[in-house]
Amino acid sequence: MAVPSSSGSSPAERFAAARARAQRERALQTSELGRFREALGFDLDDFQLRACEALEAGRGVLVAAPTGAGKTVVGEFAVHLALASGRKAFYTTPIKALSNQKHAELAERFGSERVGLLTGDTSVNGDAPVVVMTTEVLRNMLYAGSPALDGLAHVVMDEVHYLADRARGAVWEEVIIHLPDDVLITSLSATVSNAEEFGDWLATVRGAVDVVVSEHRPVPLWQHVMVGTRVVDLFTERGEGEHHGPGGHRGRAGRTPGRGVPSRRGTVPAEPSTQLEVNPELVRMSREDVQRGGPGGRGGRAHPGRRPPRGGQRSPAVRARVHAPSRAEVLGELEEAHLLPAIVFVFSRAGCDAAVRQCVAAGVRLTTDAERREIRAVVEERCAALPDVDLAVLGYWDWLDGLSRGVAAHHAGMLPTFKEVVEDLFARGLVKAVFATETLALGINMPARCVVIEKLVKFNGESHVDVTPGEYTQLTGRAGRRGIDVEGHAVVLWQPGLDAEGVAGLASTRTYPLRSSFRPTYNMAVNLVAQVGRARAREVLETSFAQFQADRGVVGLARQARTQSEGLAGYAEAMTCHLGDFSEYAALRRRIGELEGEGARRRRRGPVEELAPRGSRGQGAPGGQRPLRDDQVSAEVNRLRRQVRQHPCHGCPDREDHARWAERWERLRKEHDGVLARIESRTGTIARTFDRVCDLLVELGYLEPAGPGEGGDGGLERPGELPGELRVTSAGQVLRRVYAEKDLLVAECLRSGAWAALDAAGLATVLSTIVYEARREEGPPAAHTPGGQAVSAALDATVRAWSQLSDAEEAHRLRPTAEPDLGLVWPVHRWCRGATLDAVLDAARGPVDLAAGDFVRWARQLLDLLDQVVVVAARAGTDEGDALARTARQAIALVDRGVVTYSAGSTARTA
């Protein structure tokens, strides 16, 4: 008997498909894509080919694919097309570390002389035809009308799903909306469930855009749970019972590496008919845990990562089976199972550092003598410029000891140089295990054979919450190195109260929609008004993805409103009376009922308050009327009853039947009004926020009414537009060039001269309050401030300006600007006075406990703000402005030294 084709296609269909492939291959031979593919040296996947073909045909693309699927190849082809046509390409990323990584990769592929790098504090070959940059840099270029935009043909937006980020996501939408129409955008995204919706919006604002979605992982991913020191498969094939370890063998995991049971996030079973189920052993353990007092109460259901309440007891069988392994034991099991290199996600910086110390103390050694020599050579080369005096405070020797053993931490509190070395050594296969926070999953190319998640609960800054399916997918997506590993592995450590079925849900859920976080900012508002005027700016903002999603959400409500309108028309027809207007008659009856009901409620409360007419409670009666007294209520009811008896409809034989339809009409009318109010609240929300921003900026003097012929559209009003075009004032021109998160506060302080009397160290100290944001667990800063009377007065003026601004924002129903944070003033003050890094960090110890990497990161952001102060002060053209610019330049020199300078790499400052 013939075996049917796995594809189920007929011979004719297979012939047609083969012929189409042949035609496609012939076309590739003479295309830019063919030349690009030949240079790659490997075949492209179907989704890569489809995306690249769209680009070559002159259409933008949105590529949504799992981590490690190879979507960056599409971005590199966009760069290839720009170079082949003699034009420019910009490659944008959300974080500086990823920008540095992509710069190195593109420089290796296309030549270092043709590839530049621009971040907030780094400029390398910025005039090159290909420039890698953070997304904020491109946004600033667009608002400034930078000449670097001339000749731009392609923009690659890597990790475009970052537009959901609450703090920075708006920047991605600003760039997409404001890029010139002839620029093609290549958007690269993680797998999201609403890629088609996002693609529809891109097509709306950018023209033709192809949406290319791939859910296929080139390296299959297997899911496991480590119970004690056993690696147990999370999924089993139905009816096969329990599986232990990646090879499906009972006993200790990994004695014989082989195929495990695939998860729904990875590949499919060998037989199409095979169904998967959660490993019965894990399910039984979870249920025993709950029944004995674990999370969820007796017989309840545990959350995926919840710990049991105090006093909860587990059965002896469970206690005997589950030994909580040390981190050294976890690495030992992974090494024995041939699952290294591994990334172990620990949702705590302190936990990452402690994990490395524990492994070193336990004598873990995952490297050979040759590898240790190579590690030390790399470290000595990369860290040669670090000041010797800072090595001890940076923890250099402990860090090097861990590296030589093949283990390291990776988190935002580390010195940038240290993180880069860890990334480099891990990519070379010299570091075997990295204990990392979740930030490592956000774009950095550090694939591993195995990913371990210690707990499925994390602290989000306010409370402990469960890891979401999207976060779980992002974390485990690092498992499996394409071209190196046959398969990747994700391992969750068993914790008391772990819900195996909940973990399976995390591993298989496909619903992670992309949600816009866009909102108008002050800097955005003045730049848009300056470029296109207020009326046109409103139209531009209405094209944002946020408004697109809000409008789509209105569709269902609008459908409901239409149905209700039809129902109201039907009810109105049913209550029609041939004797007169029954709706008027029904309104009289309703008013009598309302007055009588309110009077009865008042009598139950006692004679405490007077009865107000309808719609006047708490505000006095409309038209200045006083609330009704008891005798007035009775008189009003009697008057209305006379009107009812005199109404023509009162004598209708079908009066009560009409009245029932009138009651239904009234109930539906109230529901309909509520739906319309919800539609109104969602429609035009971005434009209304923009209007409130503009109103505040007019009130503060950054915008003002434009005269005839002024404004973005010549000051002419068009039907449906708000009256009153606006123009940017001289103060607004300053605000246009301030790109800090607290942009309006900076502009207010500059305008008021709050910082004019400061010296260089004092200016840096005070500006640190603008850039710094304490982590949630940090306590209050020191009670007294450094720098003497001038700094104290400037800090008072800054906080006072913030307080006044916050009040104004509240009055205009705008999100308040964050309060200046004094947590960094002492470290910055000491650094500017020439103190060593050890003394600077010591100044922060106590309530803040600043890490070296954190200090460097905040110092780089402070330098960026000082650069902006130099620019806006110098452009003022006044003696005061020139003096402030000189002070800011001197402050830059004080801050940009030692480890701060070294961590920036090659820089070209704007000062």
Side-chain angles (χ1 to χ4, degrees):
M1 183 175 67
V3 178
S5 166
S6 60
S7 65
S9 58
S10 67
E13 290 171 332
R14 293 197 297 276
F15 174 76
R19 195 165 95 173
R21 284 194 300 270
Q23 291 174 342
R24 185 188 213 178
E25 194 62 34
R26 284 194 296 272
L28 283 175
Q29 301 303 320
T30 58
S31 67
E32 286 297 335
L33 178 54
R35 286 185 277 275
F36 175 75
R37 187 180 65 168
E38 185 177 352
L40 286 177
F42 58 84
D43 291 334
L44 295 176
D45 292 340
D46 180 67
F47 86 91
Q48 295 168 327
L49 282 172
R50 287 188 285 125
C52 291
E53 287 170 345
L55 283 174
E56 190 164 11
R59 300 188 298 275
V61 293
L62 166 62
V63 183
T67 301
K71 51 184 176 284
T72 55
V73 169
V74 182
E76 292 173 3
F77 179 62
V79 172
H80 171 90
L81 285 176
L83 293 175
S85 62
R87 301 183 69 189
K88 294 181 181 178
F90 289 168
Y91 196 111
T92 71
T93 72
I95 52 179
K96 294 177 184 178
L98 186 55
S99 292
N100 294 336
Q101 195 171 75
K102 290 309 301 182
H103 172 255
E105 293 173 1
L106 293 178
E108 182 178 1
R109 177 176 294 279
F110 298 105
S112 59
E113 72 284 355
R114 297 204 288 179
V115 182
L117 174 66
L118 291 175
T119 62
D121 53 26
T122 303
S123 176
V124 179
N125 198 16
D127 295 326
V130 179
V131 182
V132 183
M133 62 186 67
T134 50
T135 314
E136 282 85 354
V137 170
L138 179 53
R139 186 272 312 272
N140 298 351
M141 281 185 178
L142 290 168
Y143 282 151
S146 171
L149 297 169
D150 296 340
L152 182 62
H154 288 268
V155 167
V156 181
M157 303 196 75
D158 205 351
E159 308 285 342
V160 73
H161 52 274
Y162 243 80
L163 67 79
D165 182 77
R166 286 188 298 176
R168 300 170 56 213
V171 176
W172 275 254
E173 293 189 48
E174 290 180 81
V175 168
I176 291 170
I177 291 171
H178 297 309
L179 274 171
D181 292 339
D182 62 340
V183 175
L184 287 184
I185 298 180
T186 301
S187 303
L188 308 179
S189 171
T191 305
V192 292
S193 57
N194 62 335
E196 289 77 12
E197 178 189 40
F198 185 47
D200 289 345
W201 172 71
L202 286 172
T204 300
V205 295
R206 302 298 311 173
V209 172
D210 284 15
V211 179
V212 180
V213 178
S214 173
E215 294 191 3
H216 171 70
R217 281 184 54 96
V219 179
L221 177 63
W222 313 101
Q223 306 276 353
H224 314 283
V225 176
M226 181 176 281
V227 182
T229 55
R230 295 182 304 127
V231 180
V232 180
D233 295 330
L234 176 59
F235 294 100
T236 64
E237 295 181 9
R238 192 175 301 279
E240 289 197 359
E242 301 170 359
H243 280 253
H244 307 260
H249 300 283
R250 296 183 180 273
R252 291 177 63 83
R255 299 280 186 194
T256 309
R259 286 182 61 88
V261 178
S263 78
R264 282 170 257 179
R265 288 294 306 152
T267 185
V268 295
E271 295 295 330
S273 61
T274 302
Q275 294 182 335
L276 297 175
E277 65 179 357
V278 184
N279 192 322
E281 178 190 9
L282 296 175
V283 174
R284 185 173 63 252
M285 292 175 63
S286 296
R287 290 174 179 171
E288 288 177 352
D289 207 7
V290 172
Q291 290 168 356
R292 289 291 181 177
R298 183 174 295 276
R301 184 178 180 81
H303 292 281
R306 292 289 193 229
R307 60 170 62 93
R310 294 179 181 178
Q313 297 295 320
R314 290 181 286 127
S315 69
V318 173
R319 287 200 302 271
R321 225 180 353 237
V322 181
H323 155 69
S326 68
R327 283 152 172 160
E329 289 176 315
V330 170
L331 295 188
E333 291 300 318
L334 296 179
E335 182 182 29
E336 190 174 355
H338 301 281
L339 295 182
L340 296 179
I343 299 172
V344 183
F345 283 108
V346 183
F347 300 124
S348 160
R349 295 182 182 184
C352 293
D353 294 333
V356 175
R357 290 195 299 269
Q358 291 164 12
C359 290
V360 170
V364 170
R365 193 175 295 280
L366 305 174
T367 53
T368 65
D369 290 340
E371 288 173 332
R372 285 191 287 276
R373 286 193 297 271
E374 187 175 353
I375 288 170
R376 289 183 176 273
V378 170
V379 171
E380 289 173 3
E381 177 186 354
R382 297 286 294 274
C383 299
L386 280 176
D388 292 340
V389 69
D390 292 336
L391 294 182
V393 68
L394 291 172
Y396 174 85
W397 304 110
D398 291 340
W399 173 68
L400 178 58
D401 186 22
L403 288 176
S404 66
R405 295 169 180 268
V407 294
H410 188 287
H411 56 74
M414 294 174 61
L415 195 70
T417 302
F418 284 10
K419 286 197 296 182
E420 293 167 7
V421 170
V422 170
E423 293 161 10
D424 183 20
L425 294 176
F426 191 80
R428 298 189 192 193
L430 297 173
V431 167
K432 316 294 183 180
V434 171
F435 294 91
T437 57
E438 62 183 318
T439 55
L440 186 144
L442 301 177
I444 297 298
N445 184 24
M446 279 183 63
R449 180 170 297 169
C450 176
V451 163
V452 178
I453 303 178
E454 285 199 340
K455 294 181 180 179
L456 294 175
V457 175
K458 66 173 187 174
F459 186 71
N460 66 358
E462 298 177 355
S463 61
H464 288 87
V465 297
D466 290 328
V467 171
T468 67
E471 291 167 339
Y472 184 90
T473 301
Q474 189 82 7
L475 296 172
T476 58
R478 295 289 163 196
R481 299 164 296 177
R482 188 170 189 176
I484 300 175
D485 298 321
V486 177
E487 57 194 27
H489 296 266
V491 179
V492 175
L493 298 189
W494 177 272
Q495 299 288 337
L498 187 79
D499 177 15
E501 291 175 320
V503 177
L506 290 176
S508 58
T509 299
R510 290 287 208 278
T511 306
Y512 353 100
L514 188 61
R515 298 296 181 205
S516 172
S517 60
F518 182 85
R519 63 183 178 88
T521 65
Y522 302 116
N523 173 274
M524 184 193 307
V526 292
N527 273 293
L528 284 175
V529 170
Q531 290 177 347
V532 298
R534 178 184 189 177
R536 174 62 183 145
R538 294 182 91 253
E539 297 174 0
V540 169
L541 293 176
E542 288 282 10
T543 66
S544 68
F545 187 43
Q547 191 59 58
F548 184 83
Q549 289 189 309
D551 291 343
R552 283 203 165 187
V554 164
V555 171
L557 291 174
R559 189 181 302 113
Q560 183 180 351
R562 284 195 299 271
T563 303
Q564 290 172 337
S565 295
E566 295 169 359
L568 287 172
Y571 290 164
E573 183 178 353
M575 72 178 183
T576 301
C577 179
H578 66 288
L579 296 178
D581 185 351
F582 199 88
S583 62
E584 181 182 73
Y585 177 74
L588 291 171
R589 289 175 54 154
R590 280 195 303 274
R591 181 58 182 146
I592 292 172
E594 290 170 357
L595 286 172
E596 290 179 335
E598 184 62 27
R601 286 190 292 273
R602 183 182 166 206
R603 285 191 293 275
R604 288 195 297 272
R605 291 193 299 266
V608 178
E609 57 179 325
E610 296 174 318
L611 185 64
R614 186 181 184 186
S616 63
R617 178 161 301 281
Q619 307 171 24
Q625 298 179 18
R626 294 180 58 80
L628 297 178
R629 302 187 304 271
D630 279 349
D631 58 336
Q632 292 174 322
V633 172
S634 298
E636 177 69 6
V637 169
N638 290 333
R639 185 185 68 81
L640 291 172
R641 282 176 174 163
R642 286 194 297 272
Q643 289 185 8
V644 166
R645 288 193 295 269
Q646 294 169 3
H647 198 283
C649 293
H650 190 65
C652 178
D654 298 322
R655 181 185 66 197
E656 295 307 312
D657 188 41
H658 293 329
R660 283 191 291 272
W661 286 111
E663 290 172 4
R664 294 171 186 170
W665 182 91
E666 177 64 14
R667 286 196 298 269
L668 185 59
R669 182 194 64 79
K670 291 180 179 178
E671 294 176 8
H672 184 58
D673 288 347
V675 170
L676 292 179
R678 290 169 63 190
I679 292 174
E680 173 64 21
S681 68
R682 296 189 185 187
T683 304
T685 52
I686 301 298
R688 286 200 299 273
T689 302
F690 173 72
D691 289 336
R692 294 197 294 272
V693 167
C694 287
D695 290 344
L696 175 58
L697 292 175
V698 169
E699 179 180 303
L700 295 179
Y702 293 90
L703 297 173
E704 63 183 7
E710 296 182 292
D713 289 317
L716 300 178
E717 296 174 12
R718 294 197 295 263
E721 290 183 351
L722 290 181
E725 190 52 83
L726 299 173
R727 66 184 176 193
V728 180
T729 65
S730 58
Q733 294 296 341
V734 171
L735 180 56
R736 288 188 66 188
R737 294 173 178 84
V738 178
Y739 297 104
E741 187 172 345
K742 300 181 180 73
D743 48 9
L744 188 51
L745 177 59
V746 172
E748 284 285 270
C749 290
L750 288 171
R751 183 169 63 168
S752 66
W755 305 330
L758 294 168
D759 62 9
L763 181 62
T765 299
V766 174
L767 260 61
S768 74
T769 67
I770 302 295
V771 300
Y772 181 67
E773 294 180 5
R775 300 174 67 201
R776 293 280 184 175
E777 60 266 31
E778 293 174 2
H784 62 289
T785 56
Q789 181 59 36
V791 170
S792 180
L795 287 173
D796 288 343
T798 302
V799 173
R800 188 164 53 251
W802 165 80
S803 179
Q804 294 168 351
L805 174 59
S806 182
D807 290 343
E809 289 170 324
E810 182 178 357
H812 286 271
R813 293 180 292 126
L814 294 169
R815 182 185 298 181
T817 297
E819 184 177 0
D821 195 317
L822 276 63
L824 201 64
V825 293
W826 274 107
V828 169
H829 174 74
R830 288 194 176 184
W831 184 254
C832 289
R833 296 300 184 190
T836 64
L837 181 62
D838 189 24
V840 165
L841 298 183
D842 185 64
R845 289 188 183 117
V848 177
D849 195 19
L850 190 68
D854 286 327
F855 173 73
V856 169
R857 187 174 75 255
W858 292 121
R860 302 307 312 175
Q861 292 187 28
L862 175 58
L863 286 170
D864 183 53
L865 180 56
L866 285 167
D867 274 340
Q868 295 178 45
V869 171
V870 169
V871 172
V872 298
R875 292 174 72 101
T878 63
D879 293 341
E880 293 82 1
D882 292 343
L884 182 59
R886 285 194 299 272
T887 303
R889 289 191 184 96
Q890 293 166 3
I892 288 171
L894 295 178
V895 175
D896 197 8
R897 67 177 181 87
V899 71
V900 175
T901 300
Y902 177 73
S903 297
S906 301
T907 61
R909 303 214 58 78
T910 61

